[in-house]
Structure formats: structure tokens, C-alpha cells
Amino acid sequence: MQQAVSAIEARGAGASAHENWPFAVEQATPAIGAFIGGIDLRAPLDEPTYLALRRALIRYKVLFFRDQDITPAAHVALARRFGKLEIHPVFAHHPDHPELVLFDKSDKKRGRENIYHSDVSWREVPSMGSILRCVECPSTGGDTIWANMALAYENLPGDVKARLDGLLAVHDMMPLFGAALPPEQRITLRAQNPAVTHPVVRTHPESGERILFVNEAFTTHFANYSEIAGFRFGFDLKLAEMDLLQYLFRQAAAPEYQVRLKWERNTIAFWDNRAAQHYAVQDYYPAVRRMMRATIIGDRPV
């Protein structure tokens, strides 16, 4: 593991000034995000460029690339450069590339991703990152927001941080994905994807940053709240647990931790799913919004 740095140091503009990037970097907000230029993602990444992009991803949490007219095969190859790829058990896939998830929204299908979340946190080994390309998008609306959850943790009051020490949370895909399925499919999905437990605060395996790792899409409850908090009486304990979890969920919604991207055709966003949450703004219905996403398998949170 690399030497640990604070969330502020990891995103600092001063650090960027001393980095000899092999591409153009324009920081998007003080908290998170950078636009990357002078790079053609259709071509395989050489080792120096790959390593530099990985460093930039860790620092800025989400990288934006404009005018990247890549094929689905090139999209998969780009993502595979950063690790093994997952196949999502629910979303539609590209017919030739099952690693590519298809988001195809129109007047016939409204978007449902408008909730702050970390992709597949319901897996025992959640994703390292996702690479999302805009195939077709409305002229206005359909933006995506990302939030820096390392900064969110760093800015928590000290007494809250103390309450989170050793706390575990349960992540479950079923409340979001299972509700739309018929009972027999729901039973199969549950058998294949049991709920999992992760630390409420995880450590980034590359930067050493501490990251708030609960999200309102998939985190259902704490696994060991009564052991950590101590028991008084039933409803008091449960209300305190719910209050704390809701408080942690709200951290992602702070504008000070966010960047908002206006999509254009052939824009690509590559985010560190270990350290960022995102929210797809559903304000464009009934317009067409088509996206493709490849998701890179990560590591078990610790």
C-alpha cells in the first residue's frame, strides 16, 4: 500500500502542479473531478499513460474525457487495462460484449439511478471503478453528480468518527433490484446474491485514505450497532441506529463534496467507485439517454 495521505492532500491543486502528466489535466472542482485532454482512448494505453491515469483517478476520484468515439470493443479493452471486468446480474448487456451494461432510457423507460450510490457495493468484492460512455443524450438534462466520500469522512465531527470505529453495515441489492422482478426471479436472484457486510469506513487500498462507505441505494442497516453503541431499550436503540445511518447517507448530498457533469455524445467518465458515490439526475424524461458502462472488479473493503 502506498503512503497514506489525507483527502485534502490527495485532491490538492498544489500536488497536481508538481506532477508531470503525459496528458492535459483541468481540475473540475476543488473537491473532486478532472477533465483529461490530449489523449485518444481508442488506442491501447502504454504503461506510462496507464500509470498516470491510475494516479489521476486516485487523486481526482473521477476523470472526464470529451470526444472519445470508441467502439464497444475498445471500451471493454480500455476498462480491462485496469483489471478484470464484471458481468451485472440484472442490467441489459451489449449483445457482443456482456461486460458492457446498457442504459437505454426513453419515453418507454424512465431512469431509476437517481439516488446516491456506490456501484455494486452489494457484492462481497465491490468494484474498483466504472467507465461510462454517453452514446446519445438529451440537449439538456441527464447530468450525473459525483461526491468525494473520502472528503466526506474527513470532515465528519470527531464524535461521529468515534461512533463509526468498528461499525459494520449490511449491503443488499434486493430492495432496489428485486422489487421489479416476479417472485420466482426474485428468489433466484437472492440465492445468487446474498446480502454482504462491509466496514462503514473503509481504507483505500492505494492511497490509504479513509472513506465513508455506506450509500442509500444498497446499505440497509448496521450489522453490529447494538454491540458498538450499547443497549438501552429497544425502540431507542433502533431510532438511534436509523438516525445515524440517515445522517451518513446525507453526506453525499453536500455540494461542497461534488462535481456535476453535463454529458455530451462520446463523453466518458471514469470514476473510482471505492472513493466516490454518484447520482444520475432524472430530469430528462421522456427524452432519449443511452449509455454504456464497463465495471472493473475491485477488492474486499477493509
Side-chain angles (χ1 to χ4, degrees), residues 54-130:
R54 196 168 190 114
R55 290 195 305 273
L57 181 69
I58 294 167
R59 177 170 298 164
Y60 296 109
K61 310 295 188 281
V62 55
L63 307 178
F64 305 125
F65 307 82
R66 297 289 194 190
D67 302 318
Q68 299 290 335
D69 187 9
I70 64 175
T71 65
H75 189 163
V76 170
L78 170 65
R80 191 168 282 136
R81 187 70 168 88
F82 291 84
K84 295 181 180 179
L85 305 186
E86 74 152 33
I87 297 177
H88 199 281
V90 176
F91 289 141
H93 306 148
H94 188 282
D96 299 321
H97 303 280
E99 304 91 344
L100 280 183
V101 163
L102 304 180
F103 298 100
D104 193 349
K105 311 300 182 183
S106 66
D107 60 342
K108 298 177 178 60
K109 188 174 184 181
R110 185 186 293 267
R112 297 180 62 240
E113 297 79 32
N114 53 335
I115 186 170
Y116 288 102
H117 63 285
S118 174
D119 285 335
V120 301
S121 70
W122 41 265
R123 289 195 186 277
E124 189 173 358
V125 179
S127 69
M128 168 267 187
S130 291

Side-chain angles (χ1 to χ4, degrees), residues 90 109 112 173-186 189:
V90 176
K109 188 174 184 181
R112 297 180 62 240
M173 73 178 302
M174 294 305 293
L176 190 66
F177 290 113
L181 298 176
E184 62 277 7
Q185 291 185 31
R186 196 156 52 237
L189 190 66

Side-chain angles (χ1 to χ4, degrees), residues 19 64 119 150-151 169 172 181 187 258:
E19 179 77 51
F64 305 125
D119 285 335
L151 190 59
D172 192 350
L181 298 176
I187 292 170
Q258 295 179 351

Side-chain angles (χ1 to χ4, degrees), residues 34 36 44 56 76 83 146 152 165 265 301:
I36 306 298
V76 170
W146 286 265
D165 188 29
R265 186 172 180 271

